[in-house]
Amino acid sequence: MKRVALLGATGSIGRQALEVIEANAGLELVAAASGSQPLDGLAPLTQVGGDLTELLERAEPDVVLNAVVGFAGLPATLWALERGVDLALANKESLVAAGELALAAQRGGGGRILPVDSEHSAVFQCLDGRASETVDSLVLTASGGPFRSRTRVELASVTPSEALAHPTWSMGPKITIDSATLMNKGLEVIEAHFLFGLPFDRIEVVVHPTSVVHGLVRFRDGAALAHVGYPDMRVPISFALTYPERAPTSVAALDFTSGLILEFAPPDEENFPALGLARSAGEAGGSAPCVLNAANEVAVTAFLDGELSFLAIPEIVERTLSAVATPPAGDVEELLAIDAEARRVAKALTRVLVH
Ligand code: NAD
Ligand code: MG
């Protein structure tokens, strides 16, 4: 029996994880947490808001599924890695913002990261433990979001409700907006860099509108392995929670007789500058990814609140990155201070750009 602590239990990933846990007799939900929504006896131990590491201490889980949204997920990520507890990681923001600290925590504590993000789960499965010198490059697929092939002029007036209508995935609001700006794919490039230890020039992004191919690995012998399946997060959630067993799920097998369309195209980095901003922040290193993430969280919230235009999101991120120093953070306190400063600057810029 694997003891699971589920953080972010009321969210999109959280609810699908509950289904997976419910359907698998080998998984036991021992603790559940949310940010503010009530949990009403969902698990033996529950917590709404506050310091999630207190809950984890009491729960003694075998695996922590971190499905909190945003930088707020960081303490739980570090807690699991420091203690050598398996970390099923959906909360990409913690690894993006604190990649170096997370890897140091992992080296110290021996915690394993089992990616839940579909692209990273796909790559993890294609790699299947092979050494990085056998790998030529990774390819992360992007649906392109609801505004694929729109011009800059058309993007200027899009509304939150249009941006929330994702063509292939049903997800929480923050990641759905990130998918529309392509910042999600930018965060995923940084996430892949820390998860798989490859330099940024060997992590490629390709637009694939039907979201059937989730990720690929090109190997040095010229072969490329791809992970394919219908877009359904229960697959990577179940894979991470039952690793290495690959337990059955109720997800339908891929039907190759019903007109599957496998199209690929390069991303439009001119109209969707967030992807390039993230790549540059990743390459710059230090705390640049933390500043990028903080500014993006502020800008996305302002966009969802109707205060900011869609095109202002990457603008806030770019301007914050130019205004805030991004030295490497020596410890979590330093990183928290940099995150706070980036949020302060991004909020000030948001007030200027309010439409
Ligand atoms: P969501 O908004 O639907 O849910 C977020 C959850 O986090 C909620 O349960 C909320 O109560 C909780 N939460 C927020 N702040 C908290 C805090 N301070 N303390 C404790 N809990 C808090 O988001 P989601 O779509 O489920 O995404 C969760 C994470 O998974 C994100 O990092 C996202 O990028 C990642 N992810 C999601 C998907 C998806 O399909 N939804 C796919 C890949 C990765
Ligand atoms: Mg993803």
Side-chain angles (χ1 to χ4, degrees):
M1 196 64 124
K2 228 185 230 185
R3 297 166 58 82
V4 183
L6 175 57
L7 311 179
T10 56
S12 162
I13 293 286
R15 289 190 306 269
Q16 294 176 86
L18 288 171
E19 261 184 64
V20 167
I21 295 165
E22 180 75 15
N24 188 317
L27 298 173
E28 180 189 7
L29 184 67
V30 295
S34 72
S36 53
Q37 300 89 336
L39 291 166
D40 297 333
L42 186 66
L45 294 171
T46 58
Q47 186 173 312
V48 178
D51 179 357
L52 298 184
T53 66
E54 287 172 7
L55 178 74
L56 294 174
E57 285 294 341
R58 282 186 289 144
E60 297 181 7
D62 298 315
V63 55
V64 175
L65 173 44
N66 189 352
V68 170
V69 61
F71 188 70
L74 179 61
T77 286
L78 294 177
W79 184 92
L81 295 175
E82 281 163 2
R83 277 158 193 77
V85 174
D86 278 355
L87 173 65
L89 184 66
N91 176 253
K92 66 191 85 185
E93 293 92 343
S94 58
L95 191 61
V96 167
E100 303 291 351
L101 294 175
L103 294 186
Q106 186 179 33
R107 281 191 295 274
R112 239 179 352 182
I113 308 180
L114 302 164
V116 171
D117 213 346
S118 57
E119 299 75 5
H120 305 74
S121 177
V123 165
F124 181 83
Q125 293 175 54
C126 292
L127 283 171
D128 199 23
R130 287 181 196 84
S132 59
E133 61 263 25
T134 66
V135 175
D136 172 61
S137 55
L138 310 180
V139 184
L140 308 179
T141 52
S143 71
F147 305 138
R148 186 171 52 89
S149 69
R150 290 219 193 173
T151 64
R152 232 183 128 67
V153 174
E154 290 166 335
L155 288 173
S157 56
V158 299
T159 63
S161 60
E162 289 172 290
L164 285 170
H166 195 279
T168 52
W169 293 99
S170 164
M171 311 178 286
K174 195 264 180 180
I175 184 175
T176 305
I177 302 304
D178 285 347
S179 300
T181 61
L182 286 198
M183 180 58 89
N184 182 51
K185 217 45 56 177
L187 298 176
E188 290 184 358
V189 168
I190 302 174
E191 181 186 11
H193 165 76
F194 288 119
L195 281 174
F196 305 116
L198 282 176
F200 285 92
D201 61 358
R202 286 162 64 194
I203 305 171
E204 193 183 324
V205 170
V206 68
V207 171
H208 167 52
T210 51
S211 304
V212 169
V213 179
H214 303 303
L216 305 95
V217 179
R218 293 194 192 92
F219 290 94
R220 63 182 173 189
D221 59 359
L225 299 189
H227 181 287
V228 302
Y230 293 120
D232 190 320
M233 289 307 294
R234 290 173 299 175
V235 176
I237 291 169
S238 177
F239 183 83
L241 290 181
T242 66
Y243 181 80
E245 178 197 334
R246 201 186 278 279
T249 72
S250 58
V251 175
L254 200 57
D255 180 358
F256 289 93
T257 64
S258 63
L260 275 184
I261 300 172
L262 303 185
E263 272 178 352
F264 303 92
D268 174 0
E269 299 214 24
E270 213 172 293
N271 288 320
F272 298 89
L275 177 57
L277 287 172
R279 194 179 274 285
S280 305
E283 278 164 351
S287 53
C290 173
V291 170
L292 169 102
N293 176 68
N296 183 57
E297 288 190 22
V298 168
V300 169
T301 303
F303 172 70
L304 284 170
D305 289 345
E307 292 169 2
L308 208 63
S309 72
F310 184 75
L311 291 176
I313 299 173
E315 194 175 336
I316 296 273
V317 173
E318 184 169 19
R319 290 203 198 182
T320 305
L321 276 164
S322 336
V324 176
T326 57
D331 55 30
V332 179
E333 282 64 40
E334 281 180 34
L335 192 77
L336 292 175
I338 292 164
D339 171 80
E341 172 63 5
R343 279 169 206 270
R344 192 189 63 72
V345 169
K347 279 182 189 152
L349 288 166
T350 301
R351 282 191 288 276
V352 175
L353 289 178
V354 160
H355 58 211

